[in-house]
Amino acid sequence: TNEQDGKVVEYLLKVLVVGDLGVGKTSIIQRYVNGLFDREYKATIGVDFAYKLIPISKDKVVRLQLWDIAGQERYGNMTRVYYREAFGAMIVFDLSRPNTLDSVRKWKADIDAKVRLPDAKQTPIPVILLANKCDMVKNSINPAQLDAFCKENSIVKWFETSAKENINVEESCTHLVKTILEIE
Ligand code: GTP
Ligand code: MG
C-alpha cells in the first residue's frame, strides 16, 4: 500500500481463456493462480472464474479476472455473452494434437466477431497464443511457422507452455496484461 495517502487504485481486467476441449485451459489457470497441477481431466462446464492480483506499481494493482471458457462452448451460442467487456484473450492449443491449432483460427474469428475494445476505432482485443503441453512433445514447434501463423491471424505473440512443468505460464499471462495496459 501507498503510505503517503493510502490509496491503491485497483483495475479490474477481464481476460478470456479459450481453445478446444482438453487443451489445458483450466490447468494453465490453476497453475498460474494456485500453483497447482492435476493430471486428472475434468471438463469445464460452461464457464469458470479465477482471479489474480497483479501489483503494477506502488499505487496501482490489477485484479485479473480469468474467464475459463469450456472447449465445448465453441458449438454453443453463449460465447457472445461470455466475451462481453473482455480486454484480452489467450487461445490455447495442445502441441500433442495438431488439429487443435487449426481451431485457433476459428476461436480468433469468433472473438473478433463478438467483442471489441471500447474505443472509437473498435480495435480487436489483444490475443496471445499458448502452445501447451510442451513437456509431452520434443521439437514439434516450427517457430517460423508459428510466427507466420500469428501474423496472419493478428495474434500478438505465441508462447510454448506447460501447465504440468510450469513453463512460461507466468510469462505469457504477464505479457498479455502488459500488452493490455500499454493500449489503455
Ligand atoms: P475443457 O474444460 O474441456 O475445455 O478442457 P481444458 O482446456 O480446460 O483442459 P484441462 O486443463 O482440463 O486439461 C486436460 C487434460 O490435459 C488434463 O488431464 C490435464 O492434466 C492435462 N494437461 C493440461 N496441461 C498439461 C500440460 O502442460 N502437460 C501435460 N502433460 N498435460 C497437461
Ligand atoms: Mg477446463
Side-chain angles (χ1 to χ4, degrees), residues 28-54:
I28 285 165
I29 293 169
Q30 276 304 307
R31 168 63 74 188
Y32 181 52
V33 171
N34 297 317
L36 301 172
F37 178 76
D38 187 354
R39 3 177 99 255
E40 199 186 316
Y41 175 36
K42 296 176 215 85
T44 304
I45 309 296
V47 64
D48 263 337
F49 304 96
Y51 294 88
K52 186 161 172 112
L53 281 175
I54 306 171

Side-chain angles (χ1 to χ4, degrees), residues 17-30 37-46 48 68-73 92 94 96-97 107 131-137 161-167 169:
V17 184
V18 301
D20 276 359
L21 277 171
V23 294
K25 299 175 295 294
T26 300
S27 302
I28 285 165
I29 293 169
Q30 276 304 307
F37 178 76
D38 187 354
R39 3 177 99 255
E40 199 186 316
Y41 175 36
K42 296 176 215 85
T44 304
I45 309 296
D48 263 337
D68 178 7
I69 296 168
Q72 60 189 19
E73 288 295 313
V92 186
D94 180 344
S96 72
R97 288 184 294 143
W107 282 105
N132 191 41
K133 307 196 189 181
C134 69
D135 59 281
M136 288 182 74
V137 288
T161 63
S162 168
K164 181 166 179 261
E165 304 294 338
N166 195 16
I167 298 167
V169 173

Side-chain angles (χ1 to χ4, degrees), residues 81-98:
V81 176
Y82 297 152
Y83 294 174
R84 196 174 290 156
E85 288 171 19
F87 278 85
M90 309 182 205
I91 305 180
V92 186
F93 76 100
D94 180 344
L95 281 169
S96 72
R97 288 184 294 143

Side-chain angles (χ1 to χ4, degrees), residues 124-162:
I125 65 172
V127 173
I128 62 166
L129 179 63
L130 306 190
N132 191 41
K133 307 196 189 181
C134 69
D135 59 281
M136 288 182 74
V137 288
K138 292 267 171 287
N139 304 318
S140 85
I141 288 190
N142 177 336
Q145 202 179 324
L146 270 191
D147 284 347
F149 181 89
C150 286
K151 208 170 170 198
E152 215 174 280
N153 292 285
S154 302
I155 291 170
V156 174
K157 195 175 156 90
W158 61 269
F159 293 85
E160 194 175 3
T161 63
S162 168

